[in-house]
Amino acid sequence: MTREKPKNLWLSRWGFILAATGSAVGLGNIWKFPYITGEYGGGAFVLMYLACILAIGIPVMMTEIAVGRRGRGSPIDAIGRVVHENNGNPLWKAVGGMAMLSGFLILCFYVVVAGWAFAYTWKMLDGSLAATSVEALGGVFEAHNANPWQLGGWSVLVALLTLWIVAKGVQQGIENAVRWMMPGLALMLVALVGYAFTSGSFDAGFAFLFHFDASKITGEALLAALGHAFFTLSLASGAILTYGSYVPDGQSIARTTFMVAICDTLVALLAGLAIFPIIFANGMSPSAGPGLIFMSLPLAFQQMPFGTAFGVLFFAMVSIAALTSAISMIEATVAYLNEQHGISRLHAAIGAGAVLLVISLLAMLSFNLLAGWTPLGKNFFDWLDYLTSRWMMPLGGIFMVVLAGYALRCDILREELNLPPTGYALWLFMVRYVSPVLILVVFLNALGWLLFDPVQRWYWIAGAIGLLAVAGELLRPRVTSVLIGR
Ligand code: PHE
């Protein structure tokens, strides 16, 4: 079987690291992480999230890059080729299809949040954020959302910018943007943490983030933490797999993965450390919901020296971080239409953009005209987020690790990963046993099907992993032939 020749490659060794970091670091870190940490009560959630990054996120990310690079193409094509190399069942391509769909659906609500960041850059300048209380800033946020033209206008602007960049091809633009932006964003966050340290309730914020309270571990919170690990690392959404397909041969996948995961986690923790002290200092509730950072940070900017300039710069950076993530969500779709159907990138972006605008319109209207439309208690915006993060991405993750761990000949991915023997064994153990069992347990748990007590549960899980490891090693040839479909 001949391997596909790469068509597009990152320009430099840093290209992929920059682009993957650009994809991973975004609103997930600065907007979503603080807001869901607040909702699920702090420290216990943070710990669950970190555990998911380590035990699931990192192995899945390595797998996605390896499969992407081996298959050299959009998720559907890359998985198709890798499976074909094994004479496997082409149905596996559906995993790529689901990932692409997840990325696309995420973008449909992401443009709304990114629109908030863009709008707040402007609002910092025009004085509309001069209010001096949390309540008043909450009012500004609500008024912004209540106006469909205002909310929609900014979101559409983000969507058009994203499509324009994607139409032009991602490599050069992203590599250049991320190179200066990521260090800039990190520096600003450090400065904000410094501010929080001196004038906020730093201790209260710190304790909220890192104080472990076992009673806060619920099935719902675990699922949210798992989903967020996928979201924040851009996994199971076509983004990392497609970017991985542009990685030159010979670049270390493991090292790259760790660098991206560490940067991503650091940015999220810094954002938490910057935001929670400000929230506590101003008597705000950490569980204020999606508006959390937009209601709290402007207060800090007002109180600090050069606050306006700093605030403008901060929201501008968040906007660009959002843009580099948004691009990666739709890159898989555009690459697929381009490679598989020979449609030019421009036309692919226009076509995908038309669908995007229709669906994201419903997300924009969730905050105003359609606010009353809440089937099963969630508006359309929340449904998009819930379905993708909590179910589609972890499910895609399971399929990915099962594909890598059971359905492929070992030596293909061993070649791609090119790890020392212990590193490879560890990766294989994680994708075969630990990651799938953990994801499954989190699912069952969230569905309320694991009713035994929470401490005992961990013995059960450890037992299940062990048992599966033994059974798996004995039965694997069988399982593999079934999965491959021969
Ligand atoms: N990881 C991005 C963030 O944290 C979001 C994202 C999800 C990007 C899925 C691409 C794919 O903001």
Side-chain angles (χ1 to χ4, degrees):
M1 215 68 59
T2 52
R3 285 189 57 192
E4 186 73 7
K5 287 266 179 331
K7 290 186 207 67
N8 299 305
L9 286 182
W10 299 110
L11 303 175
S12 64
R13 206 179 76 74
W14 281 93
F16 174 71
I17 299 179
L18 288 168
T21 311
S23 168
V25 175
L27 296 165
N29 310 62
I30 292 160
W31 160 74
K32 199 173 187 191
F33 172 73
Y35 122 65
I36 54 178
T37 300
E39 264 178 6
Y40 289 102
F45 178 84
V46 175
L47 195 72
M48 291 186 276
Y49 152 78
L50 292 176
C52 288
I53 296 272
L54 258 183
I56 300 166
I58 289 179
V60 170
M61 191 168 202
M62 289 171 63
T63 309
E64 284 200 21
I65 302 173
V67 169
R69 183 165 76 182
R70 186 73 182 190
R72 293 277 182 219
S74 72
I76 296 183
D77 295 332
I79 293 181
R81 287 196 193 105
V82 168
V83 172
H84 184 69
E85 206 178 336
N86 282 271
N87 301 320
N89 191 327
L91 264 184
W92 280 104
K93 288 200 252 180
V95 179
M98 185 167 87
M100 245 169 65
L101 182 67
S102 302
F104 192 83
L105 291 178
I106 292 171
L107 185 58
C108 294
F109 75 89
Y110 205 82
V111 293
V112 176
V113 186
W116 287 335
F118 275 76
Y120 268 61
T121 312
W122 178 250
K123 282 184 199 289
M124 275 308 310
L125 272 175
D126 79 355
S128 20
L129 298 174
T132 47
S133 72
V134 172
E135 289 73 32
L137 281 171
V140 174
F141 185 65
E142 269 164 30
H144 178 79
N145 292 337
N147 181 339
W149 292 106
Q150 204 176 24
L151 183 66
W154 287 106
S155 313
V156 170
L157 176 75
V158 174
L160 293 179
L161 266 175
T162 307
L163 294 166
W164 178 62
I165 300 176
V166 172
K168 289 195 0 182
V170 287
Q171 275 84 354
Q172 198 158 12
I174 294 197
E175 290 193 41
N176 289 338
V178 176
R179 201 184 294 273
W180 57 268
M181 208 204 57
M182 282 301 145
L185 188 66
L187 266 179
M188 298 201 68
L189 279 172
V190 170
L192 264 181
V193 174
Y195 167 80
F197 194 74
T198 54
S199 44
S201 312
F202 194 78
D203 294 347
F206 191 88
F208 182 77
L209 269 179
F210 297 114
H211 176 73
F212 180 72
D213 171 1
S215 72
K216 298 263 169 62
I217 302 186
T218 61
E220 196 39 46
L222 255 174
L223 185 63
L226 172 70
H228 188 62
F230 276 91
F231 186 88
T232 192
L233 292 179
S234 310
L235 300 175
S237 56
I240 292 296
L241 202 152
T242 311
Y243 279 7
S245 76
Y246 310 140
V247 175
D249 289 323
Q251 184 164 340
S252 160
I253 292 180
R255 200 172 312 143
T256 310
T257 299
F258 275 97
M259 280 176 83
V260 175
I262 290 172
C263 286
D264 186 74
T265 309
L266 277 180
V267 172
L269 293 178
L270 280 177
L273 277 179
I275 287 161
F276 285 110
I278 297 171
I279 285 170
F280 290 115
N282 290 287
M284 189 177 169
S285 157
S287 58
L292 190 71
I293 69 161
F294 299 102
M295 302 178 196
S296 56
L297 287 181
L299 273 185
F301 296 141
Q302 279 164 28
Q303 291 157 15
M304 56 177 39
F306 306 108
T308 306
F310 195 86
V312 173
L313 212 60
F314 179 80
F315 280 118
M317 291 233 176
V318 173
S319 305
I320 300 173
L323 213 53
T324 54
S325 300
I327 294 161
S328 71
M329 292 170 199
I330 202 169
E331 171 64 15
T333 306
V334 171
Y336 170 74
L337 292 173
N338 181 248
E339 288 163 14
Q340 191 74 7
H341 299 286
I343 302 172
S344 72
R345 286 189 70 96
L346 178 66
H347 288 146
I350 294 176
V355 182
L356 170 73
L357 283 176
V358 173
I359 304 180
S360 59
L361 195 67
L362 292 174
M364 297 165 208
L365 296 180
S366 301
F367 291 92
N368 34 66
L369 301 181
L370 294 179
W373 183 48
T374 53
L376 299 175
K378 285 190 200 337
N379 64 25
F380 191 78
F381 175 97
D382 290 335
W383 268 115
L384 283 176
D385 183 8
Y386 179 79
L387 280 180
T388 49
S389 293
R390 307 284 168 90
W391 299 98
M392 292 175 70
M393 290 202 278
L395 204 62
I398 286 209
F399 284 127
M400 202 67 209
V401 288
V402 169
L403 172 70
Y406 295 92
L408 294 181
R409 272 190 290 124
C410 280
D411 48 340
I412 307 188
L413 291 189
R414 175 182 293 210
E415 226 173 86
E416 287 304 322
L417 290 168
N418 193 16
L419 288 167
T422 37
Y424 180 71
L426 186 63
W427 169 81
L428 203 59
F429 184 73
M430 298 304 275
V431 298
R432 273 201 187 140
Y433 310 118
V434 180
S435 312
V437 170
L438 286 180
I439 300 177
L440 207 64
V441 167
V442 173
F443 272 156
L444 295 179
N445 202 34
L447 291 169
W449 291 349
L450 284 184
L451 297 172
F452 39 84
D453 89 63
V455 180
Q456 245 182 34
R457 185 169 297 165
W458 296 106
Y459 299 125
W460 283 97
I461 293 170
I465 294 176
L467 211 68
L468 200 77
V470 176
E473 288 315 307
L474 295 177
L475 296 178
R476 200 161 30 75
R478 271 266 195 69
V479 176
T480 301
S481 63
V482 172
L483 288 175
I484 281 187
R486 268 182 308 189

